[in-house]
Amino acid sequence: MAELARQSRVHAIFIMVLLGLFVFRVVAQLVQLFAPTPILPSFEAWHSGTLPYELLLAFQIAIIVFSAWFIRGLWIGQIKRDRRLGIGLAWIGGLYFAGSVARVVAGLTFARQNPFLSAHLPGVFHIVLAAMIVTAAHYYLSNITGEEA
């Protein structure tokens, strides 16, 4: 049982680090909107323009709140492993990760003129979000003996 608690906390810590990176992204864009500073990329560099900023910010806040709830649940051992959920999250996270990497690579190479693909910062932070999903999938797929599925 102690091994399960340790595994749960290791996953929580990893997701916490990724969430910290994501929160930095959200705050940095807010700073550039209200009090621009030359030490950060411009507001536009953080925003691909796919969604209106107000809607994007609402989604980002929802992601932060849900992630904090999930981390807390992992930390205190309330999130139960679930193989089916883990497989679903692994597929979603894997496809999201691959698509996000492809987006960044395309924006750095053959699709530099495409404003959506050439917005590198949003693409990188989609990789961070995908890594959070893959980490959650890994947790759900680890079995009760501590071995990985």
Side-chain angles (χ1 to χ4, degrees), residues 28-84:
Q29 188 172 10
L30 274 170
V31 165
Q32 289 303 78
L33 178 63
F34 293 111
T37 175
I39 63 170
L40 291 171
S42 70
F43 175 85
E44 293 75 22
W46 297 99
H47 192 65
S48 64
T50 338
L51 293 174
Y53 181 66
E54 296 76 15
L55 184 59
L56 174 66
L57 184 59
F59 280 124
Q60 290 170 333
I61 291 168
I63 290 167
I64 292 166
V65 169
F66 176 79
S67 299
W69 170 85
F70 187 73
I71 290 165
R72 180 186 176 277
L74 284 173
W75 196 260
I76 64 175
Q78 283 185 332
I79 307 292
K80 303 299 177 214
R81 286 165 171 78
D82 181 328
R83 184 166 176 76
R84 286 182 58 196

Side-chain angles (χ1 to χ4, degrees), residues 47-147:
H47 192 65
S48 64
T50 338
L51 293 174
Y53 181 66
E54 296 76 15
L55 184 59
L56 174 66
L57 184 59
F59 280 124
Q60 290 170 333
I61 291 168
I63 290 167
I64 292 166
V65 169
F66 176 79
S67 299
W69 170 85
F70 187 73
I71 290 165
R72 180 186 176 277
L74 284 173
W75 196 260
I76 64 175
Q78 283 185 332
I79 307 292
K80 303 299 177 214
R81 286 165 171 78
D82 181 328
R83 184 166 176 76
R84 286 182 58 196
L85 181 56
I87 289 169
L89 287 174
W91 274 102
I92 291 167
L95 291 171
Y96 184 24
F97 189 87
S100 298
V101 169
R103 172 188 175 179
V104 171
V105 169
L108 291 171
T109 56
F110 63 87
R112 288 186 190 146
Q113 289 73 28
N114 182 312
F116 173 74
L117 296 175
S118 64
H120 309 308
L121 282 172
V124 168
F125 284 98
H126 281 288
I127 293 170
V128 169
L129 292 175
M132 290 171 67
I133 295 170
V134 169
T135 303
H138 185 267
Y139 170 77
Y140 280 116
L141 289 172
S142 57
N143 68 28
I144 59 172
T145 64
E147 297 173 10

